[in-house]
Amino acid sequence: MQDLLPDLFDNYPNDLTLLSAPWRTYGAKPLFYGEIVTVKCFEDNSMVKSELAKKGHGKVLVVDGGGSTRRALLGDMIALNAVENGWEGIIIYGCVRDAGTISTLDIGVQALGTNPIKTDKKGLGEVNVNIEIAGVSLTPGMMIYADLNGIAVSQKALDMSVSL
């Protein structure tokens, strides 16, 4: 299965909301989905690092980086830690770095772009708070679905047997 979102939108048009942004795929898993865990931060990835150091089976970390392209909120070492902790994916409303290495890791990663500059680490940011990305409100515990066609969210888990 290469495409998830077209089938989900065909079967659940009233249950899904598309996150319209210029997303780019970076991880080796272009199709991923799971329960949303949120981080809100701006040019400081301290909370991203600490969340991805926890077990993440069945979860996707969604990071509201304010859309900043001045610093990268995810690099290869933090992404590798996420793989080791079983995260399904990471969505960054901002940038990643080490894109070549991240492309080899068995995890879904989507972001707005790349930037080779790391963030300052000041311990700033909020975890599991309501965030807004591309005009869509996201709350921890919602479900998120991503593939090469884009990213969509739903209030509850959808029956994946219609698509997989």
Side-chain angles (χ1 to χ4, degrees), residues 4 14 28 31 44-45 52 61 63 77 79 93 107 131 159 163:
L4 174 65
N14 298 320
L31 188 157
D44 180 343
N45 70 349
L52 293 173
L61 186 69
V63 181
M77 301 303 288
Y93 192 59
I107 190 166
I131 60 175
D159 179 3
S163 299

Side-chain angles (χ1 to χ4, degrees), residues 68-126:
S68 174
T69 57
R70 297 185 327 165
R71 306 257 180 198
L73 293 173
L74 179 73
D76 59 349
M77 301 303 288
I78 296 173
L80 179 59
N81 200 21
V83 171
E84 292 169 349
N85 285 308
W87 286 83
E88 300 299 324
I90 307 161
I91 295 171
I92 307 281
Y93 192 59
C95 287
V96 300
R97 67 188 220 152
D98 304 309
T101 302
I102 289 173
S103 74
T104 69
L105 299 178
D106 189 29
I107 190 166
V109 177
Q110 289 203 25
L112 297 179
T114 59
N115 187 314
I117 302 169
K118 66 182 179 178
T119 69
D120 293 326
K121 304 245 186 329
K122 299 178 182 173
L124 301 175
E126 299 173 274

Side-chain angles (χ1 to χ4, degrees), residues 136-157:
V136 178
S137 295
L138 305 174
T139 58
M142 289 176 74
M143 292 295 291
I144 196 155
Y145 305 89
D147 68 10
L148 294 174
N149 298 288
I151 301 172
V153 295
S154 69
Q155 291 294 328
K156 59 183 176 25

